[in-house]
Amino acid sequence: MSIQQSEVLYTAVATAENGRDGRVATDDGTLDFVVTPPKAMGGSGAGTNPEQLFAAGYSACFQQALVVVSRQEKADISGSTVTAEVGLGKNDDGFGLIVKLSASIPNVDAATARALIEKAHQVCPYSKATRGNITVDLAV
């Protein structure tokens, strides 16, 4: 279910110049990065790249979804972390992404941790946006 424009609470605005070998910045100036292809793709690796930016956003959003779910479930997730690995590779349409989300939740057992990340995956806006479009693997 999509949201309507009147329901938007916040809109982030970023502008890129020269694609993967240029610059990306937000309209408020809080982010301003040189963007370069990673060494693994023949670039200098001297700047960040879109996959790193996506991984940062996805991991932060998923961690917040985990916080929301843990409150509902009354689970202690203090000290938890979420790591997003975003892979870029060739597919039938040119290029595509694959994601692995790894959660470390030290204060709960493995079954509870798994249940929490499954529930977080259902409410995380990034997970909703990517569902059915890319492979997202969940790990604890």
Side-chain angles (χ1 to χ4, degrees):
M1 182 171 165
S2 60
I3 61 172
Q4 301 300 312
Q5 186 61 38
S6 63
E7 298 169 319
V8 172
L9 301 174
Y10 170 75
T11 300
V13 178
T15 301
E17 300 171 2
N18 298 321
R20 290 184 165 272
D21 204 0
R23 179 177 161 261
V24 63
T26 56
D27 65 333
D28 63 3
T30 58
L31 294 177
D32 191 341
F33 292 114
V34 170
V35 182
T36 60
K39 288 182 179 182
M41 293 178 63
S44 69
T48 191
N49 59 66
E51 292 71 38
Q52 288 174 325
L53 295 170
F54 187 74
Y58 203 161
S59 64
C61 189
F62 197 87
Q63 176 71 34
Q64 187 59 43
L66 189 58
V67 168
V68 169
V69 167
S70 71
R71 286 182 185 149
Q72 294 168 348
E73 299 295 320
K74 298 182 180 18
D76 178 9
I77 65 159
S78 59
S80 67
T81 60
V82 173
T83 301
E85 298 174 45
V86 176
L88 173 68
K90 292 184 179 183
N91 64 17
D92 294 340
D93 297 331
F95 288 91
L97 299 175
I98 187 168
V99 174
K100 179 179 180 183
L101 294 172
S102 300
S104 172
I105 312 172
N107 297 321
V108 299
D109 61 60
T112 301
R114 185 71 191 178
L116 289 171
I117 67 166
E118 292 286 346
K119 289 177 183 176
H121 191 46
Q122 296 306 308
V123 300
C124 174
Y126 274 62
S127 293
K128 289 179 181 180
T130 60
R131 189 167 290 121
N133 298 311
I134 64 174
T135 299
V136 178
D137 180 39
L138 302 176
V140 265

